[in-house]
Amino acid sequence: MRHSIPVVLALLVASTASFPAIADAQTLQEALALAYQNNPTLRGEQANQRAVTENSAQARSGWRPTVQVNLDASYQQGPYTGAFALGSYTSNSAQGYVSAQQTLYSFGHVANQVRAADARSRAEQHQLRLVESQVFTNVVTAYMNVLRDRNILDVRRADLEMLTRQVQLTTSRYNLGGQPSEQVTRTDVEQAETRRRSAEVAVTQARATLAASVAQFRAVIGADPDELTMPASLPGLPATLDQALKTALALNPQLVQMQETKKATSADIDTARSQWGPQIQVQGTFGTIGPASPFRGGQYGEEVTGLVELVQPIYNGDLYNSQIRQARNRDEQARESIELARRTALQDVATNWHAVENGLEAIRAGIAEVRSGETSLKGYQIEYGYGLRSTTDVLYADQNLRSAQVELASSRHDTIVAEATLLAAMGRLQSGDLLPNLPHYDAAAKLQRARTRGWEPLQAPISAIDKAGW
């Protein structure tokens, strides 16, 4: 029976804990917190989420009255008759009035616009979750890249130092001669020197790779990496693959976002259909009118108008029918997007679950291989001093050890990154999961505020009437 990921992790904590702790080291959680507070991609998406929620407020304006103040002034001059027999006349007037308009019933048009806007606002919340998990994945990757590349650079430097000593030792033995069992040839010297030159190139390449990783760290997290600590694992890993798959179906950000988008496209169909229904509006104005020049307040009189309007579309060149067909096709696209997101989420979970399992096994094997390689190299070096091993044997043992050390560093890197990708696919790579003690951006509160901003008393009864039948 295969071990679950948490069980295997517990077995590996001891190996990770064997490395000495560094004072004031920058932990992965600290890097995540720093990125959560200042990453421009994440902060920009938070601003976009607030902008999208305003669509919910704007859609509700259809249930609310509009009021405006108008001031008009006019001047006119013209003949009394076509032959100018009586000369000409002039007139001027000015008026000021307040006009108000209120939709009483829109046949559900406004109600369905509100449904669509709210669904898209909720979808944007999950888009923000998706961006947040992507940023956190980038943070984990950047953090582990620096850790891996620093370890590899240390390995390459140790390799160069060892090979430099080996070249010196081999050259000395070649020059001094000695017992036949201790003699080396010119080929041995050249072989050691070739390996030393290759080690120099490897150190240069490792420095360049580390510099690129540091630049990535700075871009994603917004700070230079200090002394980093190797994380044992990420929090929230599931015990079984089935649990991971069920969590992904419930929480995967892209899947939930597509489900909310599907609700919006369904509402869009009803919005298009509602355009065929009757709409009832009332309008009213109250103001005063009189001569503009010379101004005489006593000559101004009150002006009051009222209008109740019922509009029933009959024919509009097939515009509304086309919009209905268009909305239905987009709804079908949204339905297929849900299935695609579902399949992608399950694929990502399964792929990364096995990647984490394989990575943990690789770490266990790598630790044993490094220990064996260290013992072998030390033994070969001692035996080389007694003439029991050749230069090729020592170089081969050194190569095996460095290869094992690099593979172990890569396995630790790949395993933590796979854990992050697994949690992201499950919808559990969020600030609430990784940074429980940090204040979190509340996207739901932003939406609720947008939905209630600008509320006025007529909205409740008019919205209730407008929703009837839908």
Side-chain angles (χ1 to χ4, degrees), residues 402-414:
R402 306 312 171 188
S403 234
Q405 289 172 330
V406 169
E407 288 178 3
L408 177 58
S410 297
S411 295
R412 283 181 169 139
H413 166 278
D414 296 345

Side-chain angles (χ1 to χ4, degrees), residues 246-268:
K246 290 178 182 178
T247 303
L249 291 177
L251 298 179
N252 179 271
Q254 190 168 19
L255 176 57
V256 182
Q257 180 192 14
M258 290 300 103
Q259 291 169 345
E260 291 294 344
T261 301
K262 174 63 174 62
K263 294 177 183 178
T265 57
S266 297
D268 289 341

Side-chain angles (χ1 to χ4, degrees), residues 154-167:
D154 290 341
V155 170
R156 298 306 183 196
R157 286 171 172 166
D159 188 33
L160 177 60
E161 182 181 350
M162 179 271 168
L163 290 171
T164 300
R165 291 195 304 269
Q166 186 64 35
V167 168

Side-chain angles (χ1 to χ4, degrees), residues 124-144:
E124 177 57 29
Q125 288 182 237
H126 297 290
Q127 173 63 23
L128 175 58
R129 290 180 60 232
L130 179 61
V131 171
E132 185 176 300
S133 65
Q134 290 170 344
V135 168
F136 283 157
T137 301
N138 293 339
V139 170
V140 173
T141 302
Y143 189 96
M144 295 305 300

Side-chain angles (χ1 to χ4, degrees), residues 61-84:
S61 66
W63 286 327
R64 300 166 184 170
T66 59
V67 181
Q68 60 186 17
V69 176
N70 296 70
L71 297 174
D72 300 330
S74 64
Y75 172 83
Q76 185 176 12
Q77 179 178 353
Y80 284 105
T81 66
F84 294 91

